[in-house]
Amino acid sequence: MASDIDSRLLQLRARRKGDPSVGTFSEAALAYNRQFAADALQVEDWETRGTSSQRWTRYAIGAMQAVGKKYTEVSEQTGERVASQLRDRLIKAGINAEFKLQGSVPLDVHIKRVSDVDVLAITKDFFTYDPTGAQALQGAYKYPTQRTSGGVLSSLRLQIESDLDDAFPAAKVDKTGAKAVKVSGGSLPRSVDVVPAHWYDTKEYQASGRQADRTVTIYNKQTGETIDNLPFLHIERVGSRCDNIGGGLRKAIRLCKNVKADSDRDIQLSSYDIAAIMYHANMNALLLGRYSDLAVLAETQRHLDALYQDPGAAGRLWVPDGSRIIFDAPEKHDWLRGLSIEMDQLLKNVFQENFPSIDSSIPSQGVQRECIKALTV
């Protein structure tokens, strides 16, 4: 963890206040820039919490707060705008598609005001299914085809790349990504990653009809492989668990993501993995986040430390959608260690600020946690 708290606060503010990244001089873009500049001058609530000398405490509290609703709405609207442009152009090319947001923005665990938006472009003209599912056994799928997932998604990607060039001539269209085509700049206030996909009807989906149980198959341009994901089940399970405890889980996830972003250590845990790790924290402890933000810090530090100290237990944890274990690569344990050490130091710094008369090297981390989690700052 960088020792200069002033630098860390500047970095946190920069993420939360951001850069409009608008590249044209249209009236709409200029108006957006003016509004953006005015908003950036506003002081957020966390910036006034505690005393002026409690800067680590302010950082910890600020790092777990949600990005402002209206900025999240801009991200969502930008994704919808790109989707609308693609939808009409794909129809002209003979492709019927639907579009869904995935990732940190719809889950509300993004940490940047100007967050990239992930949009799934899902063809409705092709899908696969589990032949052992109830609907398949009842003969509901009656349309055999010689087309393949790889062939369909490769063609869909090429069409999306071409259509984005046409739809946003002033923007940059990056076609080098393995799974997504990124469009940014021009009149777009957010970067948008468009991921070509098709549906895979799982056994669970055939029984429930719920979108959360439906898999999306995506394409890796660099390898030609297809990958099955359950993004909506991940969002549903993490979101539901968080809603049941009044928001503490999302706070813990954002805290970890911000600490990772400000760390000098090699911590390459993805946002998805961080959400999965904190999904297994003690929800009763995170429930206290309704009353004290610092209780979230206390439980986050405890949970990360416990997993690092017990790699066997960590190795048995699965991601929320049940598709794989979280720590499926050896290096992830090293990254967990780095994040845990960062959180240890943050806990210590916050304790020192709030209990300056006590030598922080004397009480254990457990005592430090108990002391700070009851604080209302």
Side-chain angles (χ1 to χ4, degrees):
M1 174 177 286
S3 59
D4 184 355
I5 182 57
D6 292 327
S7 296
R8 292 176 69 86
L9 285 169
L10 284 173
Q11 290 166 185
L12 178 60
R13 291 185 183 107
R15 283 193 295 276
R16 297 185 63 82
K17 308 220 171 174
D19 179 347
S21 301
V22 175
T24 68
F25 293 94
S26 66
E27 284 300 316
L30 288 172
Y32 177 81
N33 272 324
R34 287 192 292 268
Q35 181 61 49
F36 193 99
D39 289 345
L41 296 175
Q42 296 180 356
V43 176
E44 295 187 299
D45 174 73
W46 65 270
E47 297 180 83
T48 61
R49 302 276 287 274
T51 67
S52 60
S53 63
Q54 293 177 320
R55 292 175 295 173
W56 286 104
T57 302
R58 285 182 179 175
Y59 172 82
I61 293 172
M64 61 183 74
Q65 303 307 313
V67 171
K69 182 179 179 180
K70 66 179 178 180
Y71 308 112
T72 299
E73 289 175 349
V74 170
S75 297
E76 294 170 342
Q77 291 164 4
T78 305
E80 291 165 0
R81 177 184 167 196
V82 170
S84 179
Q85 289 289 331
L86 280 176
R87 184 181 294 107
D88 294 341
R89 285 170 168 78
L90 288 174
I91 287 175
K92 291 179 181 179
I95 301 172
N96 188 17
E98 58 184 313
F99 297 83
K100 307 283 186 180
L101 295 184
Q102 67 169 356
S104 294
V105 170
L107 186 53
D108 193 20
V109 294
H110 52 301
I111 60 173
K112 296 180 180 179
R113 176 178 291 190
V114 185
S115 291
D116 290 357
V117 187
D118 287 344
V119 176
L120 287 164
I122 307 170
T123 177
K124 297 167 71 175
D125 302 323
F126 176 90
F127 63 91
T128 54
Y129 61 92
D130 185 334
T132 67
Q135 293 187 34
L137 294 175
Q138 294 170 8
Y141 300 104
K142 302 177 181 179
Y143 305 99
T145 178
Q146 298 301 311
R147 302 165 75 195
T148 65
S149 291
V152 168
L153 295 179
S154 176
S155 297
L156 177 59
R157 169 144 183 165
L158 288 173
Q159 189 63 50
I160 287 172
E161 291 176 351
S162 175
D163 287 344
L164 287 174
D165 280 333
D166 294 340
F168 302 99
K172 176 183 177 182
V173 179
D174 182 354
K175 305 172 186 176
T176 63
K179 302 170 187 175
V181 187
K182 181 183 290 290
V183 55
S184 59
S187 61
L188 295 173
R190 302 288 189 272
S191 296
V192 178
D193 289 329
V194 182
V195 182
H198 71 70
W199 291 114
Y200 170 69
D201 291 1
T202 61
K203 181 186 295 186
E204 293 76 14
Y205 172 73
Q206 291 181 47
S208 71
R210 297 183 331 116
Q211 177 179 276
D213 292 325
R214 206 175 191 189
T215 288
V216 293
T217 300
I218 64 175
Y219 176 71
N220 186 321
K221 177 181 179 179
Q222 296 175 357
T223 66
E225 298 174 323
T226 57
I227 305 160
D228 290 339
N229 287 330
L230 285 158
F232 308 113
L233 187 59
H234 174 81
I235 290 171
E236 178 185 84
R237 288 184 172 171
V238 176
S240 176
R241 183 163 289 190
C242 181
D243 292 342
N244 287 338
I245 61 167
L249 176 54
R250 287 187 178 91
K251 287 182 178 181
I253 294 168
R254 296 186 203 108
L255 175 62
C256 289
K257 291 176 67 172
N258 274 299
V259 167
K260 170 195 165 184
D262 291 328
S263 174
D264 297 327
R265 300 177 187 276
D266 180 22
I267 304 173
Q268 298 183 45
L269 293 168
S270 68
S271 176
Y272 180 87
D273 282 334
I274 288 173
I277 289 169
M278 295 314 303
Y279 181 80
H280 295 282
N282 185 322
M283 292 302 116
N284 287 330
L286 289 180
L287 177 64
L288 298 177
R290 288 179 171 180
Y291 315 105
S292 168
D293 284 326
L294 294 180
V296 174
L297 168 61
E299 170 55 19
T300 301
Q301 182 276 329
R302 184 210 62 80
H303 181 58
L304 295 177
D305 182 62
L307 292 183
Y308 167 65
Q309 298 293 343
D310 190 349
R316 292 190 292 271
L317 298 181
W318 287 71
V319 296
D321 64 29
S323 60
R324 63 168 173 84
I325 59 173
I326 300 173
F327 296 97
D328 57 349
E331 57 269 26
K332 287 188 178 182
H333 291 280
D334 295 330
W335 298 337
L336 170 65
R337 177 180 181 274
L339 184 59
S340 178
I341 291 173
E342 293 283 353
M343 210 63 69
D344 290 348
Q345 189 61 53
L346 180 56
L347 180 83
K348 179 180 178 180
N349 289 337
V350 171
F351 178 82
Q352 286 178 328
E353 286 185 344
N354 288 276
F355 300 93
S357 62
I358 302 176
D359 184 346
S360 62
S361 65
I362 296 176
S364 66
Q365 288 180 337
V367 172
Q368 291 180 26
R369 288 195 298 267
E370 291 301 314
C371 289
I372 72 166
K373 75 179 184 181
L375 291 174
T376 302
V377 178

